Amino acid sequence: MLELRKDIFADERDDNLNEIGKPTQRQDMLGHVTGRTRYYDDHAFEGMLHLKVVRSPHHHARIRSIDTSAADRLPGVRRIIQAADIPVNLNTLLSLIEFGEDDEPTLAEDKVRYIGEPVVAVVADTEVIAMAAVAAVRVDYEVLPHVLDVEEALKPGAVSVNPVYTKNHFVFHDSYDRQKMRFGDVEAGFAQADHVLEARYQMSPIEHAPVEPMGCIAAPETNDRIVVHTSTQALFFSLGTAAKILDMPSNRLHFIGGTVGGGFGGKVDSLTEPLAILACKLTGKPVRYGFNRQEEMQAGPPRGAEVHYIKDGVMNDGRIVARQIRSYFDAGAYTRLSSYAIIKCTGHLPGPYTIPNVKTDVFCVYTNRTPATAMRGFGVTGVDFSLECHMDKMAQLVGMDAIEFRIFNAYRDGDMKAHRREAKNTALVECCQVAAQKAGWPIRDEFQQMSSLHGGGGERAAIPYTRMDQEGIIAGMSAAQAPPSTPIQAPATMAPAIAATVAAPPPAPVVPPVPTVAQPPVATQLPLAATAPQAPQSSQQPPVVAGAPAVPPLSPPAMGQQAAPPSIPTSPSPSMQPASPYTSPAPQTEGSEGSSRPSASPRPGTVRHGSRLAGTRRR
Amino acid sequence: MSKKPLQFTLNGANKAVFVEDGQNLLDVLRREVGDFAPKYGCGQGTCGSCTVLIDGKPHLSCLTLAERSEGASIETASGLADGPDLHPLQDAFMEHFAAQCGYCTSGMLMAAKALLDHTPTPTREEVVEAIAGNVCRCTGYEPIINAILDAAARGRRFSA
Amino acid sequence: MTVTVTTYETATEAAHAIAAGTSTHFLGGGTLIMRALNEGDPSVRSIVMTGDIAMKQIRPAGAGMEIGAAVTMADILGSHDLGFLHSAARAVGGPAIRNMATLGGNLFARSPYGDLATALLALDGVVVLASGGGMREMPLSEFLAGRDGVAKGVVVSVRVSRPATLEAFRFHKVSRVRPKRIAVLTLAAHLPMNSGRITGARIAYGAMAPTPIRVPAVEQALEGASLDEQGIARALAVACEGCAPANDAIASEWYRREVTPVHLKRLLLGQAA
Ligand SMILES: Cc1cc2nc3c(=O)[nH]c(=O)nc-3n(C[C@H](O)[C@H](O)[C@H](O)COP(=O)(O)OP(=O)(O)OC[C@H]3O[C@@H](n4cnc5c(N)ncnc54)[C@H](O)[C@@H]3O)c2cc1C
Ligand code: FES
Ligand code: FES
């Protein structure tokens, strides 16, 4: 049941709301219960043709030849479409916002790179004939070795999957084999930590399995336009994509959609519209291209597989002092939106916790699996699962209650996040408190009284000395030497947005907005500004990140250099929470950073680990 | 291509169509008759979104050979409401937010109607069993189960 | 390319058509074969049906019952005489599937389907088959073992023995999802008792081999045993003998082997949920 906790943040909110907190009927509900809601397939067109595609039965194969003659001869087959018929066959979804190289064919040209990849499209009078025609197309394949695992794919000598990113990884910001983030000094953090815990987590691909499989109907409209009823979740994104692939002005396309039979992120890839529109243009007839269930499960994009290595350093009192993350996202054979998922993932790291030393490397890897796409919690779900599993293990390691451990390390308002944005409206402390209460999970009073509004900022707002490193830089790579790409053919409506940025190498990290996500992520790549790690003065300047608060240069914080941890106040003042074992009994003053303070007394019953867990735990 | 004549009643109205050999009932209802309430979700019997009542009993129209419906009485979600008056199940689905995308809803409603027509005051277990063949990926089953129980509790007469 | 559908008066005529045709299949309730049609499976070119009344009947036959192949799960659930098969019929699919799925089709359903067939196996099922050469009968176990070869005919009915007592027949389907259950494994047992001892035990498993199977090793181990922990110990030790369970999305072969003795024990001791 929905419950508004008006006691929390009461003074930050206007409670004279007309809608929030009250049930409001969905606008489309009457249509749903009367069966009158019209999804893409609920439109009748006289003389509608059906499009089906021949799909790759192999993970990876060279196409030696394609023989469509038998299919051509079948009565009722109207048209067969191959790669050469498609005006701009190679595309990448995010090219609409200038992110990444065109790397994916609409119909396979020389190779297939995953099971289910479209090779030939047939258009016929009925679905039955179209299926028979698909079965009649002969494709001669030379089966090639394949790779299905992200870590295998990055090994030297691995099979090269993607036609553009031949080293099996996406190239970030024209220069990097990964999306990286550096904050403070993790090695120093590990050296100082009482315990170090490392673990590997992995997630298999997840199919959205919407009850309505994706599809569209494209039909001739008046004035040389084509109307497209589609299941897309991203109407204008799909329109732009179709216009680009078909090299036609977008104002000749009339997309109707938004009524989706379940999407969950899986219906943004615009997989059916370009072919259906092309078939409509070529035949002059309405054309339906709908996935069946088998196609939805096999060729429809899933949430991709992920592997995360997390290494944390934690003090006996429960403070996390260093976190290092190395992650691999399985994009499948082509980029689609995975590059962006990784930016979003990095924007989310190191989780909602204030950690003074953070190092993250996230790779977008190509394998011979079905290309991955967005899904609820895009870029975040897998790593969150991993981080929270790790949090539980760490709480156990230091003998703390799992929820108290989270409250203790949670962002407070005013803290500096690892990607150099100030934490605002954090509220994790309160979420944990309410969750514990609801679950009947007792937490101690001092944790119940903590607040995300207090105890943040100050020391915790500092950007630590951060050493620049060269990891991940692709030698000799620059925008000019980037892999060859098809020139971007901007559809008319896209022109203003795209034209400005084509020629020059991007001056700042690209921040790709994507239609499914309202907020663009924070750019997290450290710029390769002239950094001299040996020159403290210049390297202490906070990296130039758009929107980062201006912080005066600090002397390197104690964290990485001295035995004693900096004081990270977890409560506004000792007087408010005198019982907290995690708060220094001495009054906190401006100058107290780095000063030694009594170590926290362990909780009763706590098992102490005398030595650090240096070993790596792997599954 | 051979076409066979087929007659049945759809929500009480006589229908006569020509069907192709091998064509399923879902396809005939949607493409030949124009009743778009039953949905295609799988064509394999696994999702239940194509559920219709044939002679009062729930059937999966995607797995029903159309020509077998000769003379049958077929009910779909399009026929649930009586003009502007909604069926109690429809009212209850609305009130309990028992639909999000709505794609499963037509099938859910028909599975529920089949239950209530024969078991006007079902137990929760009977409701769960009645929709066991219907998949909903959005809403979660709780609101749907509650809606069906509530419709039953209203104690009205259900048969159309 | 397109499919032809032909309806015949009798099962025998339909069997002739199947024997004479290529890629010709009998249509039962259609819950499996219609998918092949919907997806354009080229191995289904021709469909044969019949309204033969013999295939719809449920009637006593000697000490047992004869059940027509076109009888659906819902028909079984509606038959008082077939009360002993209700738990098995109810275990198949959801309500719509049960209104459509026939007994005949269940004999052909691939593992992990075939729940009803598993129950029929434990009741000494005998298949009455119309084929190109006339009517034949054969034990269900033999039929299942060679079913891909004998499919060139039409199953008219299956005869089963009536369990000695309701208690003597037990059926349990193990699944992960409730109530929409695909089998991890299915167990059926007929355990006639004679002064506290099992005589003529029949044990059948579904999903433990490419078709439902009898488990002779367990049957022999139960012969003369009492239905208690000690009495069944030997049977549990050989619970998976002769099994070749599938590795599928529902369960791994390893898992099926591990849990079989556990569920067999519960079934025999009357503890199955
Ligand atoms: C969603 C779903 C859930 C299911 N759940 C279950 C389950 O829980 N347990 C279970 O056991 N099964 C299950 N099934 C499988 C199937 O529904 C049943 O096995 C059913 O009994 C098959 O019968 P049918 O009449 O529908 O077969 P059909 O599809 O009509 O036929 C199947 C095969 O048997 C042949 N055949 C049918 N009848 C005869 C006959 N009389 N003579 C010769 N050949 C014949 C056909 O030619 C065909 O090859 C499920 C299926 C679906 C789609
Ligand atoms: S479309 Fe019929 S059950 Fe899914
Ligand atoms: S409401 Fe979307 S599948 Fe049920």
Side-chain angles (χ1 to χ4, degrees):
Chain A
M1 269 294 109
L2 179 71
E3 178 194 333
L4 281 183
R5 289 296 296 262
K6 302 209 171 185
D7 51 321
I8 300 173
F9 309 124
D11 54 341
E12 291 187 13
R13 211 185 41 245
D14 175 7
D15 278 338
N16 296 317
L17 302 173
N18 294 324
E19 296 293 337
I20 292 177
K22 296 169 192 127
T24 300
Q25 188 52 268
R26 301 176 58 96
Q27 292 183 356
D28 53 5
M29 194 59 124
L30 186 60
H32 290 352
V33 302
T34 51
R36 280 191 217 120
T37 301
R38 291 279 168 115
Y39 302 85
Y40 92 85
D41 203 15
D42 300 338
H43 298 271
F45 288 94
E46 173 58 28
M48 185 169 77
L49 306 179
H50 295 263
L51 186 149
K52 289 265 158 206
V53 302
V54 177
R55 297 186 179 278
S56 164
H58 303 295
H59 290 303
H60 196 195
R62 192 179 314 285
I63 299 174
R64 286 209 199 93
S65 64
I66 299 176
D67 176 4
T68 63
S69 54
D72 254 331
R73 282 195 299 271
L74 287 178
V77 170
R78 297 297 186 102
R79 178 81 202 205
I80 291 185
I81 300 171
Q82 300 198 41
D85 300 318
I86 297 172
V88 181
N89 194 37
L90 215 56
N91 178 46
T92 193
L93 288 177
L94 292 179
S95 63
L96 293 186
I97 51 164
E98 274 289 273
F99 192 62
E101 307 291 330
D102 288 338
D103 69 342
E104 178 170 9
T106 296
L107 290 175
E109 291 174 3
D110 54 332
K111 273 186 178 184
V112 287
R113 299 180 177 87
Y114 66 95
I115 289 182
E117 178 160 6
V119 182
V120 174
V122 299
V123 188
D125 287 347
T126 69
E127 236 177 322
V128 172
I129 299 172
M131 288 188 290
V134 162
V137 171
R138 295 276 158 267
V139 184
D140 182 16
Y141 293 104
E142 175 195 342
V143 178
L144 301 172
H146 60 261
V147 60
L148 301 176
D149 176 84
V150 281
E151 291 172 275
E152 291 296 321
L154 290 184
K155 285 184 181 158
V159 173
S160 175
V161 177
N162 187 283
V164 172
Y165 302 102
T166 55
K167 299 270 191 247
N168 291 346
H169 60 72
F170 184 74
V171 177
F172 285 94
H173 316 297
D174 293 334
S175 311
Y176 289 89
D177 66 359
R178 70 193 72 180
Q179 177 67 45
K180 61 193 266 197
M181 176 164 69
R182 300 288 184 268
F183 187 72
D185 180 349
V186 279
E187 289 311 325
F190 293 140
Q192 166 214 3
D194 291 324
H195 312 274
V196 173
L197 180 66
E198 185 171 0
R200 177 183 190 272
Y201 301 91
Q202 66 174 62
M203 184 181 78
S204 296
I206 298 172
E207 167 58 39
H208 311 76
V211 181
E212 174 206 48
M214 69 176 76
C216 73
I217 299 174
E221 208 186 32
T222 50
N223 302 325
D224 203 22
R225 290 215 306 180
I226 292 177
V227 64
V228 184
H229 294 276
T230 159
S231 68
T232 184
Q233 283 179 261
L235 201 71
F236 288 91
F237 187 69
S238 292
L239 187 149
T241 298
K244 175 188 166 188
I245 290 174
L246 301 175
D247 192 17
M248 65 193 287
S250 60
N251 63 8
R252 283 190 46 215
L253 295 172
H254 175 196
F255 270 51
I256 299 176
T259 304
V260 181
F264 321 118
K267 287 178 180 162
V268 299
D269 287 7
S270 316
L271 298 183
T272 59
E273 296 88 345
L275 282 174
I277 296 165
L278 179 60
C280 174
K281 281 177 72 174
L282 293 173
T283 61
K285 295 272 205 172
V287 176
R288 171 181 178 275
Y289 175 16
F291 275 23
N292 69 15
R293 177 55 49 189
Q294 177 87 18
E295 291 175 300
E296 183 68 37
M297 301 302 278
Q298 176 70 58
R303 183 206 293 280
E306 295 172 24
V307 174
H308 302 281
Y309 288 96
I310 303 176
K311 182 178 178 184
D312 277 2
V314 62
M315 307 306 293
N316 280 330
D317 68 2
R319 272 166 313 127
I320 306 169
V321 291
R323 173 165 281 175
Q324 178 177 305
I325 299 173
R326 193 175 175 86
S327 301
Y328 304 91
F329 277 58
D330 190 345
Y334 303 109
T335 308
R336 301 263 177 104
L337 306 176
S338 293
S339 50
Y340 171 65
I342 281 150
I343 303 262
K344 220 171 147 257
C345 172
T346 304
H348 184 73
L349 296 176
Y353 306 106
T354 298
I355 300 173
N357 302 291
V358 174
K359 174 182 178 184
T360 72
D361 296 280
V362 189
F363 295 80
C364 174
V365 186
Y366 301 101
T367 66
N368 293 109
R369 292 171 102 171
T370 310
T373 192
M375 189 171 186
R376 301 167 151 192
F378 184 37
V380 166
T381 307
V383 76
D384 253 349
F385 160 78
S386 311
L387 286 173
E388 296 308 321
C389 287
H390 212 67
M391 289 297 284
D392 282 347
K393 289 183 188 173
M394 299 245 295
Q396 206 172 16
L397 186 62
V398 298
M400 262 180 92
D401 174 85
I403 293 187
E404 292 178 2
F405 182 66
R406 285 176 171 81
I407 293 177
F408 186 49
N409 285 290
Y411 280 148
R412 306 283 177 102
D413 285 5
D415 286 358
M416 183 53 58
K417 302 194 212 175
H419 28 88
R420 295 159 173 80
R421 283 282 177 100
E422 187 190 329
K424 292 177 187 156
N425 302 321
T426 54
L428 175 60
V429 170
E430 287 75 12
C431 284
C432 287
Q433 289 163 343
V434 174
Q437 206 178 50
K438 295 269 173 203
W441 180 285
I443 57 172
R444 283 172 290 166
D445 278 352
E446 65 261 33
F447 289 93
Q448 195 60 58
Q449 280 152 22
M450 287 180 185
S451 161
S452 64
L453 300 175
H454 307 295
E459 287 296 326
R460 296 163 60 114
I463 294 179
Y465 166 77
T466 302
R467 177 189 290 271
M468 298 298 177
D469 64 47
Q470 306 291 302
E471 282 179 65
I473 295 177
I474 299 165
M477 190 86 166
S478 73
Q481 292 166 306
S485 68
T486 356
I488 285 157
Q489 315 217 339
T493 51
M494 297 289 164
I498 288 174
T501 49
V502 175
V510 181
V511 181
V514 134
T516 49
V517 183
Q519 274 277 316
V522 180
T524 45
Q525 190 77 50
L526 290 182
L528 281 175
T531 47
Q534 301 83 354
Q537 250 347 82
S538 71
S539 65
Q540 283 160 19
Q541 292 291 347
V544 193
V545 175
V551 178
L554 284 172
S555 56
M559 184 65 68
Q561 321 253 313
Q562 299 172 21
S567 62
I568 299 181
T570 55
S571 54
S573 76
S575 63
M576 268 183 72
Q577 282 151 357
S580 170
Y582 304 106
T583 312
S584 164
Q588 303 290 311
T589 63
E590 283 291 318
S592 70
E593 95 183 86
S595 65
S596 64
R597 60 191 185 107
S599 67
S601 52
R603 285 179 66 185
T606 295
V607 179
R608 286 283 165 180
H609 297 256
S611 62
R612 124 182 355 171
L613 279 183
T616 304
R617 275 201 207 163
R618 293 198 181 169
R619 294 189 287 138
Chain B
M1 212 175 303
S2 69
K3 288 245 188 191
K4 293 174 180 164
L6 173 67
Q7 295 189 44
F8 53 88
T9 66
L10 177 64
N11 300 317
N14 290 322
K15 299 287 168 193
V17 291
F18 285 96
V19 303
E20 274 172 37
D21 271 16
Q23 205 175 0
N24 67 47
L25 180 61
L26 175 65
D27 214 50
V28 168
L29 291 175
R30 292 173 53 81
R31 298 251 160 78
E32 316 299 333
V33 181
D35 183 352
F36 288 116
K39 302 290 179 221
Y40 169 93
C42 68
Q44 308 177 352
T46 49
C47 76
S49 54
C50 66
T51 305
V52 302
L53 305 194
I54 300 181
D55 298 332
K57 300 210 172 105
H59 282 70
L60 300 170
S61 57
C62 74
L63 298 183
T64 302
L65 188 69
E67 63 185 82
R68 278 196 168 171
S69 310
E70 180 64 37
S73 154
I74 297 172
E75 294 169 66
T76 68
S78 310
L80 275 178
D82 182 5
D85 296 332
L86 295 184
H87 188 280
L89 273 167
Q90 293 173 310
D91 277 329
F93 266 58
M94 288 189 74
E95 281 166 36
H96 287 266
F97 293 88
Q100 281 184 26
C101 82
Y103 203 78
C104 67
T105 310
S106 303
M108 283 287 180
L109 285 167
M110 297 321 286
K113 179 171 191 289
L115 171 73
L116 297 192
D117 282 351
H118 294 99
T119 315
T121 53
T123 63
R124 192 180 172 79
E125 285 62 42
E126 285 169 325
V127 172
V128 169
E129 183 59 47
I131 58 167
N134 295 70
V135 172
C136 176
R137 284 284 284 166
C138 312
T139 309
Y141 298 100
E142 279 302 301
I144 297 172
I145 295 166
N146 292 336
I148 298 170
L149 283 169
D150 189 29
R154 293 173 194 209
R156 296 211 231 142
R157 301 199 30 236
F158 297 104
S159 27
Chain C
M1 168 182 66
T2 41
V3 176
T4 53
V5 179
T6 319
T7 306
Y8 294 91
E9 282 290 313
T10 64
T12 310
E13 288 171 63
H16 277 292
I18 290 170
T22 50
S23 308
T24 303
H25 299 256
F26 187 79
L27 180 72
T31 58
L32 293 170
I33 200 140
M34 281 300 291
R35 173 182 175 180
L37 286 188
N38 293 344
E39 292 177 4
D41 182 339
S43 74
V44 183
R45 289 296 184 77
S46 177
I47 290 287
V48 165
M49 307 191 286
T50 174
D52 195 331
I53 197 75
M55 294 180 66
K56 264 298 202 186
Q57 281 170 351
I58 299 173
R59 56 189 186 86
M65 294 292 296
E66 178 160 358
I67 313 167
V71 166
T72 64
M73 303 301 144
D75 294 336
I76 292 175
L77 287 167
S79 158
H80 187 70
D81 288 337
L82 295 181
F84 58 94
L85 284 177
H86 284 189
S87 55
R90 203 178 293 114
V92 174
I97 289 282
R98 290 197 286 276
N99 283 329
M100 304 167 71
T102 67
L103 175 147
N106 204 264
L107 308 187
F108 292 90
R110 308 231 158 248
S111 171
Y113 290 151
D115 296 320
L116 183 72
T118 306
L120 302 177
L121 257 186
L123 293 167
D124 289 311
V126 173
V127 176
V128 180
L129 188 72
S131 62
M135 292 294 219
R136 306 193 269 158
E137 293 189 7
M138 68 171 85
L140 179 55
S141 49
E142 196 182 305
F143 173 88
L144 288 170
R147 78 176 164 190
D148 294 335
V150 293
K152 283 268 170 200
V154 173
V155 176
V156 177
S157 62
V158 172
R159 275 204 314 273
V160 291
S161 45
R162 224 192 284 260
T165 60
L166 258 186
E167 248 296 272
F169 182 70
R170 294 168 191 193
F171 177 88
H172 184 56
K173 178 169 174 179
V174 182
S175 53
R176 295 177 191 260
V177 182
R178 276 161 205 277
K180 180 127 192 234
R181 26 206 177 192
I182 294 181
V184 170
L185 80 139
T186 303
L187 310 98
H190 187 204
L191 306 165
M193 303 294 286
N194 194 344
S195 46
R197 303 274 158 194
I198 304 169
T199 56
R202 294 287 181 271
I203 302 290
Y205 294 160
M208 291 296 286
T211 70
I213 49 164
R214 286 261 299 270
V215 201
V218 173
E219 292 175 356
Q220 279 152 29
L222 286 174
E223 206 50 45
S226 57
L227 263 187
D228 50 39
E229 291 232 12
Q230 269 197 329
I232 65 169
R234 267 191 335 117
L236 299 186
V238 295
C240 290
E241 233 177 84
C243 295
N247 252 322
D248 56 27
I250 308 299
S252 66
E253 173 184 356
W254 172 85
Y255 182 80
R256 288 192 161 103
R257 285 186 189 280
E258 287 294 307
V259 300
T260 298
V262 177
H263 292 291
L264 180 61
K265 177 177 176 184
R266 290 182 192 162
L267 185 81
L268 294 175
L269 297 182
Q271 298 164 345

